Amino acid sequence: MERYPKYKDSGIDWLGNIPEHWDIIKIKRLSIVKRGASPRPIDQPKYFDDNGEFAWVRIADVTASNKYLLKTTQILSILGNSLSVKQYPGDFFVSIAGSVGKPIITKIKCCIHDGFVYFPKLKINKEFIYYLFEAGQLFQGLGKFSTQLNLNTDTIGNIQIPLPPLEEQKTIARFLDRKLEQIGHFISNKQRLIELLKEQKTAIVNRAVTKGLNHHASMKPSGVEWLEDIPAHWEAKRAKYYFYEVDERSETGTEELLSVSHITGVTPRSEKNITMFQAESYEGYKTCQVGDLVSNIMWAWMGALGVSNYSGIVSSSYGVYRQKNLDNFVSTYLNYLVRTNSYISEFICRSKGIRSSRLRMYTDDFFDIPIIKPPKEEQEKILSYIHTESAKVDEAIAKTEKEIELIQEYRTTLISDAVTGKIDVIELTHSS
């Protein structure tokens, strides 16, 4: 990257040297700094109207946006916007709460509360000052930068910033727009690659546990439409032939309390807060052993079931199933099998209820589902294959995630270097 011909000391520790023809100025010299306002209490329905003219801006709306604010989730009524601070398309404001220091340029009519500061009659290119804040260095010297940093109109106004001539501000902003668009495309492509790799990993597992490893093996109809053909030497019997329901009750309630999120990593809404399970009485709670197949009756249809690696107790909202013969299934193979796309789809079909939030899969429903069973030796080979192939995919995902991390670091550095004069954007623009 090209550098400017001559530099001078800015006198600011975090900024260091700046191009000789740039100035240093306090933000309050470019505009007065004011704070937003909001109706109180803000949760009153009278302050909102879906047909209103001004959107209501929350910190979350700004955090979810990039450079421009294009939409919010709420609209203020006439009364609501009369008690707040209005902003119009092209206005610039900064959060001072929540996502501290997050800048935004609005493209819509909106209102901001006192978690934001704004700059009436700002005498600087708004895209340039946006990138100054986006670089994240302006708050150095104000104390520890975190959500607890005490920002107000005075602290913001007294921040000193580097100031190139106006046309140079515009050129820097345009340069960053172009470069960040390219970076954005790169990141999007890499994120899509990660999605494809995850789909590939799922396909590897689904294929291996339902079709086996020998692509040339003789096949036979499974007798189950949704399973199609299976290797000729595999079995396909209803679950009741392989499992029995465990209905052992906890006598003390002192065992570890388990949930499907422990067992499978799936966390249904009903288990978001584990403290809800700290019941006064554990009557009706069932014991669960390592290797048991555990199913959340309400959420099995969304994959909330699997083979437990824990011993403990579960509430009556679970089904616990134990193998009649431990030689039938390797636990890990069984865990992969019941969580394949085919089986999850079948759990949905078998579950009872008028809508998804009401679906239930009871013991009889589970016992009626066909389970395919390769010989145990073959299950071990399938697991070895899955482990090897999944490791390759995981390595590719990790490499891609590292590439995203590095380009995001580059993005941050590029913005900082451009707005602080560490690179000569004018020269770069001319040379390209």
Side-chain angles (χ1 to χ4, degrees), residues 2-5 171 423-432:
E2 295 285 342
R3 289 176 60 82
Y4 285 88
T171 301
I423 57 175
D424 186 348
V425 167
I426 302 296
E427 186 62 31
L428 280 171
T429 304
H430 289 162
S431 62
S432 61

Side-chain angles (χ1 to χ4, degrees), residues 41-71:
I42 189 55
D43 58 355
Q44 293 293 311
K46 64 183 178 180
Y47 296 133
F48 297 93
D49 179 356
D50 289 343
N51 297 314
E53 184 180 4
F54 287 83
W56 175 241
V57 184
R58 301 169 306 146
I59 298 294
D61 296 316
V62 171
T63 303
S65 303
N66 290 317
K67 183 178 179 181
Y68 299 110
L69 181 68
L70 303 176
K71 63 180 181 178

Side-chain angles (χ1 to χ4, degrees), residues 181 222 321 344 422:
E181 183 179 9
S222 65
Y321 309 105
I344 296 300
K422 302 302 183 289

